[in-house]
Amino acid sequence: MIRALLASLGFIGLAGGVQANCAGSAEACEIETGSYHIDLPKTESPPLVVFLHGYGGNGAATMRNKNMRDGLIARGYAVMAPNGSRQVGEGRGLSWNFFPGWEGRDEGAFLSEAVANAVKRFKVDPERVILSGFSAGGFMVSYLACATPDMFSAYTPVSGGFWRPHPTTCSGPVRMFHTHGWTDNVVPLEGRKLGGGKFQQGDIFAGLEIWRSANACPDNRPSSFSNTGPFMRRKWAGCADGSALELALFPGGHQVPQGWADMMADWYEGLPGS
């Protein structure tokens, strides 16, 4: 889907490109619908991880997470940190327009345009773009994966799933790797009420049931269990062709855990065609 958008915008086959003066700097790359930060490895046509910040954050703060950013760049990935569109209070940062029915920016269109811009300016690989995000960014990842599973080559949310009411169905098979802290009390595995009960975070395991249905998995039971350092992993196999579904739990709270970058990259690189 990203490649189709690039072709429609005339970005496929362009030589040169505009001045790439915002890579690796504090300056954001500006596009018509928003802005993003980006840092690049010293490789040609690298894959790209688009990492969405949490509630009250911004792209610059995401780039200061050296464990995540430097770990991915060392593996040869470019890292993009877009800026959300929803103001969360005076001086309190940004969030994402993820919940169905909210008015505001079309975040899927914005992210597609941001990736198209990065392909043109920095020559990242349009066929290998992973959408990741933390907390509110993880909610955004989950809703986009549900609505447009082919927009990105894989979806890897951290500490963020759906809100209630959960979606009844998702559009089709998806490649999904969800990471969550066992003691997360901001986005608990069971969810919680927000805004005096106006909103309610969903249940992560109920979300996994939705993903198993979307991926046409033959059984609710995981097909395998494994450990990667502190991460306890469970995987569902034998599902729809081209799909993937895995959960990794770690013994910590609301955070992007150390070691996530390598674990996620190993998972992605082990997928067919990645």
Side-chain angles (χ1 to χ4, degrees):
M1 190 166 181
I2 291 290
R3 175 165 282 275
L5 175 70
L6 298 177
S8 71
L9 296 176
F11 288 168
I12 296 295
L14 283 175
V18 297
Q19 181 70 22
N21 60 355
C22 56
S25 74
E27 179 185 356
C29 302
E30 301 285 344
I31 60 175
E32 184 176 350
T33 50
S35 62
Y36 66 88
H37 296 262
I38 192 166
D39 209 348
L40 303 162
K42 295 179 180 178
T43 55
E44 300 260 338
S45 191
L48 174 66
V49 175
V50 180
F51 198 95
L52 309 183
H53 61 75
Y55 181 87
N58 56 58
T62 295
M63 285 304 205
R64 291 196 290 271
N65 183 339
K66 290 190 175 182
N67 285 330
M68 183 274 293
R69 184 198 67 194
D70 293 353
L72 289 170
I73 289 174
R75 292 287 297 255
Y77 291 79
V79 179
M80 175 191 286
N83 287 308
S85 61
R86 294 181 70 88
Q87 298 286 338
V88 300
E90 187 67 30
R92 293 182 60 199
L94 302 167
S95 191
W96 300 95
N97 194 40
F98 61 81
F99 194 64
W102 280 354
E103 294 183 358
R105 184 173 71 181
D106 182 335
E107 304 288 24
F110 160 64
L111 292 171
S112 294
E113 290 168 17
V115 171
N117 186 267
V119 170
K120 178 181 179 181
R121 299 178 77 167
F122 307 111
K123 304 298 183 276
V124 299
D125 186 348
E127 301 290 351
R128 295 183 295 159
V129 183
I130 304 166
L131 184 63
S132 300
F134 170 67
S135 193
F139 295 135
M140 186 76 256
V141 171
S142 298
Y143 280 101
L144 282 175
C146 185
T148 54
D150 294 328
M151 180 179 288
F152 297 91
S153 66
Y155 296 83
T156 59
V158 180
S159 304
F162 294 120
W163 280 13
R164 293 185 183 275
H166 299 116
T168 54
T169 59
C170 288
S171 293
V174 68
R175 304 205 295 184
M176 166 74 64
F177 186 96
H178 182 101
T179 305
H180 217 101
W182 182 252
T183 58
D184 191 335
N185 208 32
V186 177
V187 182
L189 287 163
E190 301 81 3
R192 68 181 177 106
K193 293 180 179 179
L194 301 170
K198 183 178 180 181
F199 301 107
Q200 188 171 354
Q201 295 168 353
D203 186 294
I204 296 303
F205 288 97
L208 286 167
E209 186 168 4
I210 295 168
W211 296 125
R212 288 193 296 269
S213 176
N215 283 4
C217 294
D219 197 348
N220 288 339
R221 181 178 58 183
S223 57
S224 64
F225 303 88
S226 63
N227 292 84
T228 301
F231 297 96
M232 299 180 295
R233 299 170 61 173
R234 51 205 300 146
K235 175 181 178 180
W236 288 265
C239 307
D241 288 346
S243 70
L245 181 60
E246 191 161 342
L247 169 69
L249 296 173
F250 63 94
H254 196 61
Q255 60 185 300
V256 181
Q258 194 163 3
W260 174 83
D262 274 327
M263 178 181 64
M264 188 279 292
D266 286 341
W267 171 82
Y268 180 71
E269 291 165 14
L271 297 175
S274 295

